[in-house]
Every structure is written in structure tokens, then in C-alpha cells.
Amino acid sequence: MMPRASAVSPATLTALAIVAGLALSARAQAPGKSVGMQPAQQNLDFEESDSLGVPRGWFFSPVSRAEGFVPSVRDSVPHSGRRFASIVYAGAGEPNFATISQFIDAKPYRGRRIALSGQLRYAGDRVPKGGGARLWLRVDRKGGRTGFFDNMQDRAVTSPEWTEGLIVGEVAADADKLALGFLLRGPGRAEADSIALQILPDATSSGEAPRPLSARALANLTAFVRLLGYVQHFHPSEQAVATDWPLFAVDGVGAVESAANANELARVLRERFLPIAPTVTIAAGSLPSRFDPMPPPAGADSVVAWRHLGWGAGRLRSVYSSDRIGRPITGAVPDTTLPPPGAYVAVELGGGVWCRVPLTVFADGLGTLPRARGSTPSPRAKYWRSSAGERSSRLAIVALAWNVLRHFYPYWDVVRSDWSAALEEALTAAATDRDDETFTATLQRMTAKLEDGHARATTPTMNIVRVPLSWTWAEGRLVIDAASDAFTPGVNVGDEVTAIDGVPIAEAARASAARISGASEGWIRYRMLGDLAAPANGDSLALTLLGADGEARVVRPPVGGPDRAVPARPDTISQVRPGIWYVDLTRCREEQFQAYVDSLATARGLVYDMRGYPGQMRLSFLTHLADSTMTSARWHVPIVRYPDGRDLTFRFSNWSVPTEQPRFTRRVAFLTNGSAISYAETCLGIVEHYRLGAIVGEPTAGTNGNVNVIALPGGYSISFTGMKVLKHDGSVHHGVGIRPTVPASVTVAGIRAGRDEVLEKGIEVVAGAPP
């Protein structure tokens, strides 16, 4: 879609980076050469400061100060002692974040479970989603790899009263440095006091060892997971709304796994769910063929149900919402966004157990009926936190994620995957995963079954350090298309990569593709280019190269660094032939484009390059091609009244795209390939429908619509497409994408000759007769 409500707009990419802990982890504010790592904690109570208002021993980025954030040490009602630290946003516009940070030697903490705690408070007139005061803690490992990370994204403090913030995590055995601090996200003022970093006793971790699931245990867990989704997302009792679902899930998987038979499983499920959903029925045996309606209890005057416009509990500010709605028992106007009074779901859960879950409940002036006591307090200690090292946490994370996607992913009518089988596979693998790396791969394999180009499973420890070269697929081969002696000595443009770390490319590609979600082969192959370039150990890759001379050799290019070679393209806006202009929409900024409008209006031919994402451009590059107002494709936000994707309806919208002067030539070519996704496909869909020019290259990613993000225990997250997008004529876009009218691809010979064959084809098209 488009930046103002985009699936992958710059603002959305920033938010996704927060979720993954990659951009807003304060890495951008990590110390440079002038700010060293300290051997131990300093001034955690903020009693001392320097002349610029920064607490002694702490670091505040000059970039943040330039953006309008101001640090200080104040003495107005501290939590303890005499003073506390503060960050206030004094600038104009929409702020991002700023942090006061400290960096200490990790050696004393290696291999231990630690807790960062502190008192936080926040003052501000408006709190953006995810905004407020937050602690953050990151473990930096050898070789530039990231270990544990948490920035309280899901539990920011927004109260003006002192409130405890707490982060618990593990320090890797090869940790070099601990980075910690507190941050202000958004406008207002964040304050912190009484920071403490401590090593926790081993008793705060469950220490569950990996072990396989028996057939009975898998059936038990499958039943629990299905019932969890029905109650969490569709049963509107007040007790269910107040439940800490991640903790409920972690406690629940351990309770149900050992049930010996269906009767025992039903008993355990009732013990778990009835305190929060007292009108749910759970029993062993066969599902009854009919159910009597539930009469209103004494005193009931209204019914309550969930209204889901997509899934509204995600992390990103978006078009999605989930709200509990009450209405009178009699006399209410029918509402097609809500399940009707008396609606329920009745299904066999597996393991010999069935359930009946009402989708509406009765209520009076005091709340939903009947009253229930709520969930039993968890026996887990204050310092327990979900971790990939704990088996029950891994199983619970799978359960929580699977349910959101089962009930709210809008493309189950298009996707070919067996999502029930995906649950069993993920639970089976999660039970025996050894660590964060293997469990992340499990989540990625499950997410790949969505066949959704927006879908990714991420973890705070995910490293995106890559070899600083560029390669592409040409004629089914992985070929270097950009290299530099400065970055990658011994690697030449045109070299074919035949193996990585001794693994043949075909085998490495299969393993990579199994962890990548995509609706098209082009997008999966594009994602593989980055995946294959990321060393598994964070250190180096051994590349077996076959040169143009037919000689094979092995090289180990360096990993990471601030620069990387990229394939050559003409200048962002340039005249590539007399009268033929080129605009690289993946690099062009709107203000650049506007500066060249008059020149482009005189062009005999125009080539727009959209082999990638036009994240800095409005639709102005299209409005000069049209004779009359256009519209975008069709956006459909799902109205989810029933579980399991049953009877979905949609809320429709699209965009009006006006025409602008001056008028450009109709000799226009749009270059594209499988890397063009979301907003790029919105643009190309308009081109396709209104025939604004030739589409040259390869099919696009076949994925459009606003992204939604599931925040999961342990800092994991999964993104997915939350709305359905159809083409202008109502046909399917997902998995189809925009097809070229003039197919063109790169070849090995072309790469070795330094040619851009797709661009050459585009120039050829616009230099001839109008398409």
C-alpha cells in the first residue's frame, strides 16, 4: 500500500525494527570510540551529573540532542535519594526516541540470568502506541553478534507515578558487553531512578530440558492450543480480558501435556479455562449434534461481544481494531460487525475432547455474567521471564502465534498450506529445540506456511551481519553482480557461487527457502539472497566460486562493515539516452522528483525503475501519466465475527489518485521483479489497470496490505499481512502480483559483460512506438 497507511512504509519499517529489537535497541546510540566500556556499573541512582545534564557514567547521543531531546538530572520528588534522571522532548514534530545509556563489561555476568530493574514515570499529553518510559537491556556478543535484548516495548510505563520496570534475561557465555539504560519513546518526559542490575539465583529459571512429545502429549497440547485461541480472542468475559495470556499459556502447556486420557484432559482444561470463561463447556466424547440456547441470567440487561476489524492487538498503529462492545438484550439495532446474540463455536478439539464457546455473554451494570474468580495466580516467581531456553515457553509461543494467524490471517482461501499440520510440526519441534537459534528456525518454518511476503518471525538476538557483496539469481545460478577489492578481495563480478561453507547452493537454497514466507517464487528467491549472505556463526562465509575462466576457488570475504558493493545503476534521475530519462524510484525522494518534473515532461521516453521499494515517493510519478482521476486496488479489512476464518466479511476502501500537470509522455516503461512488494505493487497495480506503460522484467512479490505484528513472550515477534487486497477488477492479487507485459531477466553473460539487461529492455521499449 502507500506510506500514509502502508504495509511497508518507512514508518512501518521503523516500527518493525522496534519489534525485532534492531533499530530502537539503542544500537544507534551505542558508544563510538570516544565513549568506552566501563568495567562496572556507575551512578545507577543518578545522584551525580556532568555540566550538560547527563548523569555521570552515562552516555547521551548528540544526535538525540540535535533532534530536540534534552537530558537532565532533577531533584523534584525522586523515588529515592536526592536526584533522578530525566529525558524531555523539547523539539517540534513527531519524535522518535532517545536514551540515556551505560555500557559495561559483561565478563562478570557471563552464563548467568540477570535482572535490570528501576523506577520509571512518564508525563505527557499524548502517548503514541509503544510510547512512554522504558528500560532497555542488550547483550553484545563476540563478533558483533547480539544476544538477549528487551526494551519493554510491550509494557512501557505511561503513569505519572513511580512504577517499577523490570527486564530479566540471560547473558551468553561469549558476551563482551552489556548495554543498558532507559529511554523516552515519543513526546513528553521520561524519568528514571533507582536503577539496579543484579545476578539472579538459578531458581528463577525452570530449567526444563528439551524432550520429545509423545503422541498423547501432542494431542493434549493441540486441544489446549485450539481452546486457548477461542477463549482468548472470542470469549468476551471480563475475566478473559483481564487474563495475562502469555503467562496463562506457559502455565497451561505444562498442565495439560501429561494428561493420560480424554477424561483427564477435559478435567484439566476445565480447571484452567472455567475460572475465566464460566459459560464455556468442555467435555470428553463425541460433539453433540445440537445445543440449547443459553437463557439470560437474572439481572442481565445487555450482551457483550468482540468486534474484530482485523486483529487489533498488534503492535503497529494501523487500521485494525479489537474492542468489546455491549448492547441491550432487546431493541438493539442489528450490527453486522458483531456476532449475533447466542452465537457460539462448537468443535472437536482433538485428544477426544470437544468444546462449546459462546461468542456473546450476558452482562449487567457490574460486568459480565455469571461472575467468575478469574485465573489462578501463577506460581512462577517475580523474576521469571519467558525464554527460548525453557521448553514450556517455546510451546506457549507457538500456541499464541498460531492462534492469531489461524483466526485473523485473511488469505486462508488462497493459501495452500495445512495450518493444522503446521501446528503439530511446530509443537513437535519446539519441544526439542535446544536454544534461541533452533527455536527461531521453528517459528520461521511455521511462518513460511503462510505464503505471505510480509510474514517474518524475528527474535531480539537475530543478527543481520552479511557479507558486503551483492549477488543475484541468473539462469538459476547464484552470481556475483557487484564486488569491490576494498570490501571483498578475491571476488569478481560474474563469479558463480557454487557452495557456501561447503554446502552446494541447491541444498543451501532449499534450507533457506523452508524458513522464508512468500506468496511468489520471486519474493522467496529475493529473500534468499540476504539469508544466504548471513553467516550462521556471525564470523565469515567460505564461498566456493566458479570464475568465467572455469576455475574454482574458495574465498572468505570479510563480514559486516559500514559499506557494501551494490550493482551499478544510472544516477537516480538522469538522461540515459538523448530524450530518454531514467528515474530510480527505489532511491528517489519526492523533493528530487519534483525538481525534475519539467525536464521529465519534455522526455521522449521515460523509464521508471521499481526493482525494489519506492519508500520515499508519493504517487506523483503516476499522476502525470493520467488523463483523469484513477483509483488504487481494493483494500479489504476483515470483519472477524467467528473463529477459524468462518463467514468473513470485509470493510472496503481504496484511494483516489488525481491527475496532475504537466502531462508526461505515454512512452513509459516500469522495471520490476520479485523484490517489488506492497506499496510497489499498489503503484504497479495502477499501472497495470490503467495501462500507463509497459511493465518490464519479472513478476512482483504478490503481497500487499497493511502489516500487523504479533508480540510474543521472550521478545519474539511475527509479522503478517492483516488485510485482503484484490486487484481493480476484483481478482486475486495475493500470490499473483503484477505480471510483466515485456518479460526480461538478467543473464550470466550479461552480468559478466557489465550490462543491465532489464534496463536495456526498458530503454528499447520506450525508444520505439508507444506500448
Side-chain angles (χ1 to χ4, degrees):
M1 293 181 68
M2 195 174 177
R4 61 182 174 186
S6 172
V8 193
S9 69
T12 299
L13 286 173
T14 300
L16 284 171
I18 300 171
V19 174
L22 299 173
L24 295 193
S25 66
R27 183 175 295 282
Q29 303 196 41
K33 294 181 180 179
S34 62
V35 182
M37 177 175 64
Q38 299 168 166
Q41 312 160 29
Q42 290 191 31
N43 191 28
L44 297 189
D45 55 2
F46 305 113
E47 295 296 299
E48 303 174 42
S49 66
D50 64 18
S51 59
L52 296 177
V54 180
R56 184 185 58 79
W58 296 79
F59 171 76
F60 188 78
S61 169
V63 174
S64 292
R65 199 183 291 272
E67 290 175 348
F69 292 97
V70 180
S72 64
V73 173
R74 307 177 65 212
D75 58 6
S76 176
V77 193
H79 177 266
S80 64
R82 298 178 297 106
R83 309 173 82 188
F84 58 89
S86 170
I87 304 172
V88 64
Y89 180 65
E94 189 67 24
N96 194 349
F97 84 109
T99 175
I100 291 178
S101 314
Q102 192 166 137
F103 308 87
I104 63 174
D105 190 348
K107 291 186 182 65
Y109 304 93
R110 286 178 176 172
R112 302 301 302 273
R113 192 175 181 88
I114 62 174
L116 176 69
S117 61
Q119 294 294 320
L120 302 172
R121 63 186 179 190
Y122 173 81
D125 296 331
R126 178 180 59 85
V127 185
K129 195 165 187 177
R134 310 195 320 237
L135 297 176
W136 65 275
L137 173 66
R138 189 185 71 234
V139 177
D140 292 340
R141 302 169 62 188
K142 290 187 183 234
R145 304 175 70 194
T146 299
F148 171 83
F149 172 78
D150 186 357
N151 66 356
M152 292 181 59
Q153 168 70 19
D154 59 342
R155 56 193 191 281
V157 172
T158 58
S159 170
E161 305 297 326
W162 286 115
T163 305
E164 184 180 38
L166 178 65
I167 293 174
V168 177
E170 289 81 20
V171 180
D174 63 348
D176 271 345
K177 177 175 59 182
L178 301 184
L180 58 93
F182 82 98
L183 63 86
L184 167 64
R185 166 75 171 151
R189 181 191 300 274
E191 298 173 338
D193 200 0
S194 306
I195 303 291
L197 180 66
Q198 60 180 311
I199 295 174
L200 297 176
D202 293 337
T204 60
S205 175
S206 68
E208 296 173 278
R211 67 178 187 279
L213 293 173
S214 67
R216 180 71 233 181
L218 180 58
N220 293 345
L221 287 173
T222 299
F224 171 78
V225 172
R226 291 180 182 275
L227 183 56
L228 176 77
Y230 294 141
V231 176
Q232 179 183 2
H233 299 296
F234 295 96
H235 189 73
S237 68
E238 292 186 350
Q239 294 79 14
V241 172
T243 296
D244 182 334
W245 286 109
L247 192 55
F248 182 93
V250 169
D251 287 337
V253 295
V256 303
E257 181 180 351
S258 59
N261 51 52
N263 287 324
E264 186 174 344
L265 174 60
R267 176 185 60 78
V268 175
L269 291 175
R270 285 193 294 268
E271 291 175 353
R272 291 278 156 183
F273 284 94
L274 294 189
I276 61 175
T279 57
V280 169
T281 304
I282 305 165
S286 300
L287 179 70
S289 58
R290 63 179 298 274
F291 292 91
D292 294 328
M294 292 183 175
D301 57 15
S302 61
V303 291
V304 181
W306 279 106
R307 174 184 287 151
H308 292 297
L309 303 179
W311 182 61
R315 275 185 169 168
L316 300 185
R317 183 183 302 169
S318 67
V319 297
Y320 311 119
S321 62
S322 292
D323 302 288
R324 280 197 318 152
I325 305 297
R327 48 189 166 157
I329 291 178
T330 59
V333 177
D335 189 334
T336 57
T337 66
L338 296 171
Y344 62 86
V345 57
V347 297
E348 293 181 348
L349 295 170
V353 173
W354 59 268
C355 73
R356 177 180 186 257
V357 179
L359 307 181
T360 64
V361 297
F362 293 104
D364 60 15
L366 299 178
T368 54
L369 299 169
R371 311 284 187 232
R373 62 178 172 83
S375 58
T376 303
S378 174
R380 297 179 185 272
K382 169 185 176 182
Y383 291 112
W384 178 85
R385 286 294 182 275
S386 181
S387 164
E390 294 183 339
R391 185 172 178 272
S392 59
S393 291
R394 298 193 299 271
L395 295 170
I397 290 167
V398 169
L400 294 164
W402 185 89
N403 272 307
V404 173
L405 298 166
R406 176 68 188 97
H407 301 303
F408 298 99
Y409 182 50
Y411 286 112
W412 289 123
D413 60 333
V414 176
V415 170
R416 304 178 296 273
S417 300
D418 183 338
W419 195 237
S420 295
L423 172 62
E424 295 186 357
E425 292 170 9
L427 290 172
T428 299
T432 57
D433 283 333
R434 304 179 306 278
D435 50 28
D436 175 78
E437 183 177 342
T438 55
F439 179 56
T440 299
T442 292
L443 292 180
Q444 289 171 336
R445 288 191 297 270
M446 182 179 79
T447 306
K449 302 291 180 28
L450 295 175
E451 298 176 12
D452 175 14
H454 285 145
R456 297 194 188 199
T458 60
T459 170
T461 63
M462 184 174 289
N463 295 281
I464 51 174
V465 179
R466 295 191 174 100
V467 177
L469 50 73
S470 175
W471 50 35
T472 192
W473 299 104
E475 301 173 293
R477 298 146 72 181
L478 185 61
V479 180
I480 306 294
D481 63 356
S484 167
D485 287 340
F487 306 144
T488 51
V491 179
N492 302 315
V493 171
D495 286 343
E496 179 186 354
V497 185
T498 60
I500 298 176
D501 288 337
V503 179
I505 283 299
E507 182 180 339
R510 281 193 298 271
S512 173
R515 300 191 305 273
I516 295 173
S517 190
S520 69
E521 180 183 358
W523 176 255
I524 293 173
R525 289 170 69 83
Y526 167 70
R527 283 280 312 279
M528 276 196 288
L529 296 175
D531 189 54
L532 294 173
N537 60 8
D539 296 328
S540 66
L541 287 178
L543 305 180
T544 302
L545 303 178
L546 184 65
D549 58 4
E551 296 293 323
R553 64 193 188 282
V554 176
V555 300
R556 288 185 175 273
V559 172
D563 299 305
R564 61 186 296 269
V566 295
R569 289 186 182 182
D571 289 343
T572 302
I573 302 180
S574 55
Q575 190 169 192
V576 291
R577 300 283 190 279
I580 307 296
W581 281 77
Y582 168 87
V583 181
D584 187 346
L585 296 170
T586 69
R587 291 182 289 160
C588 189
R589 300 187 307 275
E590 181 65 30
E591 58 269 26
Q592 286 179 286
F593 180 81
Q594 294 299 333
Y596 278 87
V597 162
D598 290 340
S599 296
L600 297 176
T602 66
R604 180 168 60 90
L606 181 59
V607 178
Y608 282 132
D609 199 336
M610 207 179 296
R611 289 175 289 180
Y613 190 79
Q616 302 179 87
M617 288 294 298
R618 297 187 293 107
L619 288 173
S620 52
F621 63 94
L622 297 180
T623 59
H624 293 279
L625 303 177
D627 296 320
S628 59
T629 298
M630 303 176 289
T631 63
S632 68
R634 306 181 181 188
W635 322 131
H636 293 82
V637 175
I639 301 171
V640 185
R641 298 190 298 162
Y642 300 97
D644 299 315
R646 180 164 62 91
D647 298 335
L648 280 184
T649 57
F650 297 91
R651 179 170 287 182
F652 169 83
S653 67
N654 65 0
W655 304 328
S656 178
V657 184
T659 183
E660 289 186 83
Q661 294 296 325
R663 182 75 161 73
F664 290 1
T665 176
R666 290 302 294 269
R667 293 185 176 185
V668 184
F670 294 82
L671 314 182
T672 193
N673 59 20
S675 68
I677 190 171
S678 199
Y679 176 45
E681 295 184 283
T682 293
C683 302
L684 289 168
I686 297 171
V687 173
E688 177 185 60
H689 181 71
Y690 292 97
R691 301 182 180 180
L692 300 181
I695 301 173
V696 179
E698 298 174 341
T700 61
T703 301
N704 201 356
N706 288 48
V707 170
N708 214 332
V709 179
I710 311 167
L712 296 164
Y716 293 90
S717 66
I718 290 177
S719 59
F720 68 101
T721 305
M723 68 164 60
K724 176 173 285 190
V725 175
L726 300 177
K727 289 177 178 271
H728 288 74
D729 61 3
S731 62
V732 174
H733 174 88
H734 193 82
V736 176
I738 310 300
R739 304 287 175 165
T741 58
V742 182
S745 300
V746 298
T747 66
V748 177
I751 292 172
R752 288 174 175 168
R755 297 170 54 200
D756 185 338
E757 293 155 292
V758 177
L759 174 57
E760 290 173 3
K761 178 60 70 173
I763 293 172
E764 176 187 323
V765 167
V766 301

